[in-house]
Amino acid sequence: MVGQEVKRIGVLGGTFDPVHLGHIHLALDALKEMDLDRVIFIPAWLQPFKQDRDTASGRDRLAMIDAAIEGLEGLESSSIELDAEGVSYTYLTMRELRKKYGEDCRIYFITGTDAFLKIETWRNAGELLTSCGYLVGTRPGYRQKELEECMERVSRIYGTEVRNLHNDRFDISSTEVRDRLESGEPCGDLIPEKVERYIRENGLYK
Ligand code: ATP
Ligand code: MG
């Protein structure tokens, strides 16, 4: 295991159904701005707030992430939540990562604005918000003032390090990618070419 020398890692959780350029740039911007050793993409087996929705299989979502990050230094994926199956709770994933990387490692959970605005409602929020730092990538379409209030409240109540990244903005969502694919429209401007190819070769999102 290479855990010992790792000091600063970023964790990007999500459904990634499918992974798109907004996710990739968020990870790359966090890596650079925060001088992280790596950013790990962790696809959820089943997201607590999306339990009623069908998704591509976990293996396909992970394979698309791997295709997208191939050759991009500092980006990795982990099947930790897929291997655990069941509903994926981030506080449990954080416990596992803490065990793996040790107490000295600085762990940052990376989110977009929409996810961070809801984070106080996530399971075991108290533990979750004290277990790591948070990096919030601005996502178009959300109110900055609301985000700043939420960041201030979380850092005041939980003593959490929370930073707003100066990320490049990409107005892209997986929902838009799926919608376009379902109606047969091209989406080369939303997802990496290798992901587009995987989707085509595996007949996903028809
Ligand atoms: P969906 O439309 O299915 O909800 P999504 O595009 O929101 O998909 P998720 O897998 O839900 O993607 O998001 C994973 C994480 O990435 C979340 O923290 C989300 O806020 C963030 N994120 C997603 N898209 C962007 C984007 N374009 N810019 C910044 N952050 C993003
Ligand atoms: Mg989402």
Side-chain angles (χ1 to χ4, degrees), residues 82-165:
L82 301 181
D83 298 339
E85 303 190 353
V87 180
S88 311
Y89 290 111
T90 304
Y91 80 94
L92 291 174
T93 304
M94 281 302 159
R95 282 188 193 172
E96 290 305 310
L97 293 177
R98 185 56 69 193
K99 253 189 254 165
K100 177 169 179 179
Y101 291 106
E103 289 304 319
D104 293 341
C105 179
R106 190 78 191 117
I107 302 178
Y108 290 98
F109 191 69
I110 305 166
T111 75
T113 315
D114 58 313
F116 191 76
L117 285 174
K118 294 207 200 106
I119 206 147
E120 292 158 292
T121 69
W122 290 15
R123 179 71 63 93
N124 246 346
E127 176 177 335
L128 179 62
L129 287 165
T130 48
S131 63
C132 60
Y134 287 80
L135 305 176
V136 187
T138 305
R139 191 171 185 181
Y142 296 88
R143 283 215 306 276
Q144 187 63 19
K145 186 160 182 291
E146 208 182 322
L147 173 62
E148 278 162 20
E149 283 165 6
C150 182
M151 289 175 55
E152 185 279 323
R153 188 170 58 244
V154 164
S155 57
R156 177 167 40 82
I157 295 175
Y158 300 97
T160 311
E161 178 185 352
V162 189
R163 286 169 192 258
N164 199 180
L165 294 168

Side-chain angles (χ1 to χ4, degrees), residues 21-69:
L21 293 170
H23 298 129
I24 300 299
H25 285 281
L26 177 62
L28 289 172
D29 289 346
L31 188 73
K32 193 163 157 214
E33 183 175 337
M34 295 299 293
D35 197 23
L36 304 175
D37 298 292
R38 62 179 88 167
V39 171
I40 309 171
F41 285 69
I42 305 189
W45 173 260
L46 195 59
Q47 273 218 336
F49 298 114
K50 291 183 180 169
Q51 292 191 48
D52 55 346
R53 205 188 84 193
D54 276 345
T55 63
S57 75
R59 290 297 138 189
D60 281 330
R61 288 180 288 118
L62 182 65
M64 290 187 279
I65 291 170
D66 287 338
I69 65 179

